[in-house]
Amino acid sequence: MKRLGLIQVYTGDGKGKTTAALGLALRAWGKGWKIAIVQFMKDDPGYGEVKALQELDGIDLFPAGRNDFVNLDQPEEIDCRLARQGWELVQSFLAEGVYDMVILDEINIAIACGLLAEAEVIAALRQHKKRPQPRAEIVMTGRYATPGVLAEADLITEMKELRHPFAQGIEMREGIDH
């Protein structure tokens, strides 16, 4: 069966977008797929998933951010530069066809706050759809997926927060949130 290279989007205000993408990566890895994960706006080697992914040959992780919060209303120049570098990696991965799946973690926020141009991302998604099969599956995560990104997606899952421990004053828990 040919790999169609569909576009999946995990968005919404609920917890679990990155977790869902990582679960999908684990499933694909178990079938012998080669996976690239570009984490926009992140670079924290202490995250549990980062430590676990370092142990799995065939899943490559590329941070495209810094270990600090990004001001979504006024991102700093360094955040723009790191996002741009991550985006250039993504484009090379899609063009080279080395990976069977490319996860663009938190790219939706990077687009929404202006670190990346929505039109450029959409143009790349459209170009990817025109490539012959097999082509890489693209998975995009993060809050605030734009209407343009959603229009290009083949699968959209919206995580909706109904209740969260933070509202009860429970801090981030190691192994669950970090």
Side-chain angles (χ1 to χ4, degrees), residues 19-30:
T19 305
L22 293 174
L24 188 62
L26 190 59
R27 176 181 286 165
W29 177 84

Side-chain angles (χ1 to χ4, degrees), residues 6-168:
L6 301 180
I7 298 169
Q8 300 188 28
V9 173
Y10 298 101
T11 193
D13 66 357
K15 180 177 171 36
K17 298 171 287 292
T18 297
T19 305
L22 293 174
L24 188 62
L26 190 59
R27 176 181 286 165
W29 177 84
K31 295 294 185 176
W33 290 30
K34 187 162 175 59
I35 298 126
I37 302 171
V38 179
Q39 289 193 304
F40 291 90
M41 303 169 63
K42 291 181 179 177
D43 186 10
D44 187 344
Y47 276 129
E49 66 262 25
V50 172
K51 292 178 178 183
L53 291 172
Q54 291 171 345
E55 301 296 319
L56 299 177
D57 187 37
I59 300 181
D60 299 326
L61 181 66
F62 303 90
R66 56 192 174 113
N67 188 8
D68 205 352
F69 288 102
V70 176
N71 181 336
L72 300 182
D73 295 323
Q74 292 184 312
E76 295 180 36
E77 188 277 328
I78 188 171
D79 299 314
C80 296
R81 186 176 76 248
L82 291 169
R84 169 62 42 202
Q85 290 171 355
W87 178 241
E88 289 170 3
L89 268 179
V90 168
Q91 290 179 301
S92 70
F93 295 158
L94 296 177
E96 294 165 6
V98 173
Y99 292 99
D100 302 301
M101 178 181 290
V102 180
I103 296 175
L104 291 63
D105 189 34
E106 304 296 358
I107 192 167
N108 295 328
I109 297 176
I111 294 167
C113 75
L115 296 178
L116 298 172
E118 178 192 33
E120 183 179 357
V121 173
I122 290 170
L125 294 175
R126 288 179 180 161
Q127 182 64 32
H128 183 69
K129 286 181 174 183
K130 292 178 184 175
R131 287 190 173 96
Q133 296 173 6
R135 59 181 174 253
E137 190 85 2
I138 297 175
V139 181
M140 303 172 72
T141 75
R143 295 174 184 236
Y144 316 123
T146 63
V149 166
L150 295 175
E152 296 303 319
D154 298 293
L155 178 148
I156 302 168
T157 298
E158 181 178 13
M159 301 340 193
K160 182 177 180 180
E161 183 179 315
L162 299 177
R163 180 178 301 134
H164 198 292
F166 290 167
Q168 301 168 27

